[in-house]
Amino acid sequence: MAHPPAADRSSRPTEASPGIPEPILLGMYRNIYATRRFELRCIELYRQGMIRGYLHPYLGEEAVAAGACAALRPQDYIASTHRGHGHCISKGADLRLMMAEITGKATGYCKGRGGSMHISSKQLNHLGANGIVGGGIPIATGAGMGIKVQQTDQVVIAFFSDGASNNGVFAESLNLAGIYQLPVIYLLENNHYAVSTPIECATGCCDLAGRGPAYGVPGICVDGNDAREVYRETLQAVARARRGEGPTLIEASTYRHGGHHVNDPGLYMNPETLAAWKDRDPLVLMRRALGDEAKIRAIEEQVEAELEAAVTFAAESPEPSVAEFLAGIQD
Amino acid sequence: MTDIMYREALRRALDEEMQRDPLVFIMGETIAERGGSYKVTEGLVKKYGPRRVVDTPIAEASFTGMAVGAALVGCRPVVEILFIDFAMLVMDQIVNQAAKYEFISGGQGKVPMVLRTQGGAGNGLAAQHSQSLEALFYHIPGLKVVMPATPHDACGLLKAAIRDDDPVIFIEHKLLYMTQGPIPDDEYVIPLGKADIKKPGRDATIITYSYMTLKCLEAAAALESEGISVEVVDLRTLTPLDKETILASVRRTGRAMVVHEACKRGGVGGDIAAMLMEEAYDDLDGPVVRVAGKNTPVPYNVRIEQACVPSVEDIVEGVLRML
Ligand SMILES: Cc1ncc(C[n+]2csc(CCOP(=O)(O)OP(=O)(O)O)c2C)c(N)n1
Ligand SMILES: [Mg+2]
């Protein structure tokens, strides 16, 4: 198997969650579940023609964002990618404003101008999803510089995937953050593919975390399907960053549950490997870790209600006005 | 003559040139097994193998630079940059390196490479996947810029671009890949720098290129039924610019309009209008009109996206304004 899930590589116990307070665990489960349900609904709406353009599901990778963002405070920043719904939800987004944006409505986070691939929120200190692979990495690095100049104790997470890690901006940014000891966590979501290109075909060395030490930046591997593990490691990296001890590279190993985007059936993915990863579905792992059925059900009911409200809000929202849009443009 | 799709015409050009010249090779993201996002390169890896059909990581700046280097040592590389928006990542290698090499080396070295890319709005892909950025390349001495509108032109011009000894920026349009058109069964090459009169006319000249050619032809057909005869000049290549064909047409009709999807500000249309002022002022019966994209990033929502690019109605209206 080319891309074995973490459980096959380590004997680390996955059931116990020593040291993580219950509200954090419940919060991570909420974000994993909300992302899962939100995206499944988006896919339905896409099929019905309510969403156009690109839609890149984060299905299967939800624990990375949920775990990492659980280690942040609201005033911390994130920069996201084209596969950004999970980052956005885990940073605390209002599902109504997200759904309105993705369906192109005037009430959306970006007034219907951005769509799925460009959601940002000033209020959430979410610097934005990005249509350019790697585009968010230097921006996150710069946010770290801005924080350093302003001498606050905020931190930044740059989310990106394996494909972006082969772009020059990644190397340059790691080096820069290493020089200036910036409070940035580089969260490399290694889902093992860039579109259809497996990571082993895109680099001569698949030890992506190992690229950190080459620039004097600690590089850590985590099981990206286990939100608890992502949370623990991110928490440590965040603590170092707040103390002024500089950046960390975290490689979270995970897998897409389907193709690159909603119209890609992902036929190039090995069905057995995919099945093995699905056996370690981050949602199921987290549910098992929680154990408390009543609390789980309460969270799920709450999310379902929010999601319904989001779909209704988006459907009832107006489209952007063409006249207003044109009025703002100089001929 | 056979009817084929624009993307098949491009594939035929690549196939024929790879067959003809073993120094031609192609490079880009997911172009091999997957055949490229728009399926232009489908099947080529089976025929020519992974040595000449090369999948790259997401490292645009460097693999475009690799094309410059490979061209300098004798190859004829064709690189694919999935969206012209991503070509912004390779500007150093194109603008400072490829476009300058022959000049600064005193003519010792040439860079016979092609950068194939794709632009335009219309698919709801928003501001970073919908731009029309040809003017940036048009502005740079040392580059040739090709923007075909039909399968026929796409095949013939891509072959010429590959055979050309200068760096060529070959810009496709995402709404053209599935369009159909006749192309000759026998091999043919269309020289760079020759515009094509897609529809002759008496009353006014529309100068356009790429996808807008189709819109202009629709507009011309609508005007024809009202007794207005418009000539549609498809530039096909922006550099070298076929000034002779443009000037001859404008001298015949006395009226000129430039239509492009790219933002009006700083666009190719402004340059052509200025050229007409300088070289055909006495032949013009009125000011040159520009119908072009709005000066804004392209939004996601379909209604405001459509409002950004010229429609058939805008073009018709532009012609009526001129007459
Ligand atoms: C600079 C740039 N090159 C190419 C693309 C086209 N593209 C969009 S997503 C993608 C794959 C990205 O892979 P990875 O970074 O691993 O992210 P993942 O899709 O796995 O989340 C590519 C090539 C792009 N958007 N930007
Ligand atoms: Mg990836």
Side-chain angles (χ1 to χ4, degrees):
Chain A
M1 194 177 288
H3 307 142
D8 299 341
R9 293 192 303 220
S10 82
S11 53
R12 196 184 281 124
T14 55
E15 301 309 317
S17 318
I20 303 181
E22 194 185 42
I24 299 267
L25 291 172
L26 292 172
M28 292 194 295
Y29 182 68
R30 185 270 172 196
N31 288 338
I32 293 173
Y33 186 79
T35 305
R36 177 70 54 93
R37 297 291 301 149
F38 182 86
E39 289 199 316
L40 290 173
R41 196 59 177 268
C42 284
I43 292 169
E44 275 175 37
L45 292 172
Y46 194 98
R47 303 276 177 241
Q48 292 163 18
M50 311 292 284
I51 297 172
R52 61 200 297 256
Y54 282 140
L55 188 78
H56 300 93
Y58 194 57
L59 299 173
E61 306 184 28
E62 300 95 334
V64 183
C69 289
L72 295 182
R73 300 175 186 157
Q75 60 271 31
D76 294 325
Y77 289 95
I78 64 165
S80 168
T81 68
H82 56 284
R83 200 178 300 289
H85 305 148
H87 311 139
C88 196
I89 290 175
S90 292
K91 191 73 174 68
D94 183 333
L95 299 188
R96 291 175 314 156
L97 307 192
M98 275 183 78
M99 193 58 93
E101 185 57 39
I102 294 173
T103 53
K105 298 304 182 75
T107 52
Y109 269 114
C110 313
K111 303 183 181 169
R113 297 177 190 174
S116 161
M117 215 162 31
H118 297 293
I119 299 180
S120 64
S121 166
K122 175 120 176 134
Q123 184 232 330
L124 297 171
N125 279 358
H126 178 352
L127 296 169
N130 213 307
I132 303 299
V133 170
I137 303 175
I139 292 175
T141 308
M145 185 63 113
I147 288 167
K148 194 174 168 181
V149 168
Q150 296 173 71
Q151 296 179 299
T152 70
D153 70 347
Q154 290 158 288
V155 303
V156 191
I157 296 182
F159 289 101
F160 57 98
S161 187
D162 48 290
S165 78
N166 292 323
N167 197 284
V169 288
F170 171 65
E172 295 183 5
S173 291
L174 267 194
N175 189 50
L176 288 160
I179 302 170
Y180 307 123
Q181 290 291 289
L182 301 179
V184 183
I185 292 91
Y186 294 92
L187 223 159
L188 197 170
E189 309 180 295
N190 184 359
N191 60 7
H192 300 81
Y193 281 100
V195 190
S196 56
T197 308
I199 180 63
E200 62 274 17
C201 296
T203 176
C205 175
C206 289
D207 173 15
L208 304 183
R211 297 178 185 185
Y215 295 100
V217 175
I220 292 156
C221 283
V222 301
D223 174 359
N225 279 27
D226 186 340
R228 295 160 302 173
E229 205 180 310
V230 178
Y231 169 72
R232 271 190 223 105
E233 292 298 341
T234 310
L235 199 61
Q236 290 195 28
V238 165
R240 275 197 299 279
R242 288 202 209 286
R243 288 197 302 266
E245 291 168 22
T248 304
L249 169 62
I250 300 177
E251 176 189 351
S253 192
T254 184
Y255 223 62
R256 298 186 320 230
H257 277 184
H260 172 63
H261 54 53
V262 56
N263 287 328
D264 171 19
L267 299 176
Y268 46 85
M269 297 172 88
N270 176 314
E272 280 159 37
T273 309
L274 185 54
W277 278 95
K278 282 186 171 174
D279 280 346
R280 301 198 69 258
D281 183 334
L283 183 86
V284 176
L285 290 192
M286 200 61 218
R287 200 181 268 157
R288 232 183 264 151
L290 281 169
D292 187 330
E293 276 303 322
K295 283 183 180 151
I296 289 172
R297 212 170 314 115
I299 286 172
E300 293 182 353
E301 279 167 15
Q302 169 70 27
V303 168
E304 295 300 336
E306 272 180 61
L307 185 57
E308 276 323 303
V311 173
T312 308
F313 175 79
E316 289 173 355
S317 287
E319 304 231 8
S321 147
V322 174
E324 256 173 54
F325 179 75
L326 293 180
I329 301 168
Q330 187 185 34
D331 190 32
Chain B
M1 287 290 201
T2 320
D3 259 20
I4 67 170
M5 277 192 268
Y6 190 85
R7 68 180 184 202
E8 293 166 337
L10 293 164
R11 190 184 308 144
R12 178 171 139 182
L14 290 169
D15 191 4
E16 286 178 3
E17 291 307 298
M18 290 183 81
Q19 184 82 47
R20 193 183 66 85
D21 182 354
L23 294 171
V24 176
F25 76 98
I26 64 179
M27 223 175 358
E29 290 159 26
T30 61
I31 64 161
E33 286 305 328
R34 196 173 162 86
S37 269
Y38 290 94
K39 299 286 170 235
V40 171
T41 54
E42 204 162 52
L44 294 179
V45 71
K46 274 202 192 66
K47 197 159 169 191
Y48 299 103
R51 198 172 52 85
R52 293 179 67 200
V53 180
V54 183
D55 263 344
T56 63
I58 306 167
E60 287 87 359
S62 292
F63 73 70
T64 301
M66 285 166 66
V68 180
L72 284 172
V73 300
C75 293
R76 292 190 174 270
V78 180
V79 292
E80 178 179 302
I81 301 281
L82 214 51
F83 284 79
I84 198 166
D85 315 72
F86 315 159
M88 299 306 98
L89 281 73
V90 313
M91 288 309 246
D92 171 58
Q93 289 299 327
I94 292 298
V95 176
N96 294 323
Q97 313 300 338
K100 305 292 190 287
Y101 196 90
E102 186 191 354
F103 185 83
I104 55 185
S105 71
Q108 295 177 79
K110 292 218 165 233
V111 185
M113 66 173 284
V114 178
L115 186 150
R116 275 188 51 238
T117 187
Q118 166 272 120
N123 279 346
L125 301 179
Q128 294 172 341
H129 287 72
S130 304
Q131 298 175 84
S132 297
L133 297 171
E134 64 274 13
L136 301 182
F137 299 102
Y138 177 76
H139 185 65
I140 304 299
L143 299 178
K144 290 177 176 165
V145 182
V146 182
M147 296 189 73
T150 64
H152 175 268
D153 293 349
C155 179
L157 287 166
L158 182 52
K159 286 168 67 77
I162 294 170
R163 295 181 192 190
D164 199 275
D165 282 340
D166 293 321
V168 178
I169 311 299
F170 192 94
I171 308 172
E172 299 150 20
H173 193 295
K174 56 176 71 60
L175 299 183
L176 287 174
Y177 287 117
M178 307 282 269
T179 57
Q180 293 253 356
I183 77 167
D185 297 320
D186 291 336
E187 196 188 347
Y188 67 102
V189 177
I190 299 174
L192 304 185
K194 291 264 170 284
D196 182 38
I197 297 178
K198 285 277 183 319
K199 180 197 164 295
R202 289 181 318 271
D203 302 328
T205 298
I206 300 182
I207 300 144
T208 188
Y209 52 89
S210 189
Y211 179 60
M212 278 297 140
T213 303
L214 308 193
K215 296 271 173 204
C216 291
L217 287 170
E218 265 187 66
L223 287 161
E224 197 76 32
S225 63
E226 293 177 29
I228 298 165
S229 165
V230 177
E231 180 146 301
V232 178
V233 176
D234 174 8
L235 291 175
R236 303 200 291 193
T237 59
L238 303 183
T239 332
L241 185 66
D242 186 354
K243 285 204 218 173
E244 289 69 36
T245 301
I246 299 171
L247 287 166
S249 174
V250 172
R251 289 192 173 120
R252 265 197 315 275
T253 63
R255 293 178 199 277
M257 175 164 102
V258 194
V259 179
H260 56 61
E261 177 173 337
C263 300
K264 187 191 263 187
R265 186 189 300 135
V268 172
D271 192 56
I272 291 173
M275 184 273 285
L276 288 170
M277 293 298 286
E278 287 171 344
E279 301 190 27
Y281 186 77
D282 292 337
D283 302 297
L284 287 168
D285 297 328
V288 180
V289 169
R290 287 179 294 164
V291 172
K294 298 280 185 275
N295 296 324
T296 170
V298 178
Y300 164 67
N301 172 278
V302 63
R303 289 167 51 179
I304 49 177
E305 181 192 32
Q306 280 172 3
C308 289
V309 297
S311 63
V312 173
E313 296 73 46
D314 295 332
I315 298 164
V316 167
E317 210 178 279
V319 171
L320 295 178
R321 239 189 302 145
M322 265 198 303
L323 295 177

